[in-house]
Amino acid sequence: MKKFNRFIYSCLFLSSILFTVSCSTPDNDEAIMTGIESDLQAAHKDVNNSSKAKMYTAELAELNGSDVMGTAELVLEGNELTVTINARNLVPDMLHPQHIHGFQDDNRNAKCPPASADNDGDGLVELGEGLPFYGPVLLPLDPFPTAPNGMISFVQTYNVSDLDFSVTPLQNRVIVLHGMYVEGEYVATLPVACGQIQPAQGNN
């Protein structure tokens, strides 16, 4: 009797499966598969967009008659920001602080200061005189280089999620290099080069 009951239950279960399959039409199957494929493609696109590296550049031009010039490349991938700086004509074998500057409150566009920012008329745009143009330090690009032979070749990666405030949007920021002699005294805080960060060509 038990074997007969198990046989009946098995037949009923199999019948229910066959009935469900028979009720499904080719059009329904195709619609279901199309929906699944669309969802998978959308999810894949979201993953790609979230992990896609965003590239930026900056042309570093001299400040305060330093003759310093160079380039910077920045790659933002997720929370990791890799900064590459190549510059020349710096004071050799001296510490050169370098930072990303910007305005954290309203994200207005930071820019490099003009010569007219020299409020005290001493012929130099000091750090404080440049602040209204490029804003406070958002990210120190340390360890600061010492420019052997007057050149900087710098590469460093930072986790920007560790910052107290956002370094993005990078296109609203500038990079400033510091450090030169003034009347025989080395002034490590004096800006010597500045560059507006821009999205790299072809970067979306």
Side-chain angles (χ1 to χ4, degrees):
M1 185 66 179
K2 291 182 179 180
K3 290 183 178 180
F4 178 76
N5 287 339
R6 283 199 296 269
F7 174 75
I8 294 298
Y9 294 149
S10 299
C11 289
L12 290 173
F13 179 70
L14 181 59
S15 297
S16 65
I17 293 176
L18 292 174
F19 177 77
T20 301
V21 172
S22 65
C23 289
S24 177
T25 66
D27 290 341
N28 287 340
D29 291 343
E30 184 176 354
I32 292 171
M33 291 304 298
T34 300
I36 293 174
E37 289 176 0
S38 297
D39 290 342
L40 289 174
Q41 289 173 358
H44 188 261
K45 184 177 180 180
D46 289 341
V47 170
N48 283 343
N49 287 340
S50 64
S51 61
K52 183 179 179 182
K54 298 179 180 179
M55 304 180 67
Y56 302 82
T57 61
E59 294 292 328
L60 303 174
E62 69 170 357
L63 290 175
N64 293 316
S66 67
D67 291 329
V68 175
M69 61 185 66
T71 60
E73 296 179 354
L74 303 91
V75 179
L76 181 63
E77 188 168 8
N79 289 325
E80 290 193 342
L81 175 65
T82 300
V83 180
T84 302
I85 296 176
N86 291 288
R88 61 184 184 274
N89 299 334
L90 294 108
V91 178
D93 303 317
M94 298 296 287
L95 194 68
H96 290 278
Q98 51 187 14
H99 313 90
I100 293 177
H101 287 255
F103 298 97
Q104 53 184 301
D105 295 331
D106 55 10
N107 276 335
R108 70 182 186 272
N109 193 42
K111 55 186 178 181
C112 297
S116 59
D118 174 24
N119 293 326
D120 59 11
D122 65 353
L124 298 171
V125 178
E126 283 94 359
L127 176 63
E129 292 173 325
L131 285 176
F133 296 89
Y134 46 61
V137 172
L138 297 181
L139 177 63
L141 300 176
D142 49 19
F144 297 148
T146 56
N149 300 314
M151 302 180 70
I152 289 176
S153 183
F154 174 90
V155 181
Q156 190 69 30
T157 298
Y158 308 91
N159 189 328
V160 296
S161 66
D162 294 337
L163 302 178
D164 294 332
F165 39 80
S166 178
V167 74
T168 58
L170 283 169
Q171 63 268 24
N172 287 2
R173 316 305 190 194
V174 300
I175 291 179
V176 182
L177 309 185
H178 304 261
M180 65 179 283
Y181 278 102
V182 178
E183 297 180 353
E185 179 182 357
Y186 186 74
V187 183
T189 59
L190 189 68
V192 296
C194 179
Q196 175 80 47
I197 299 174
Q198 303 283 352
Q201 187 174 4
N203 185 52
N204 295 323

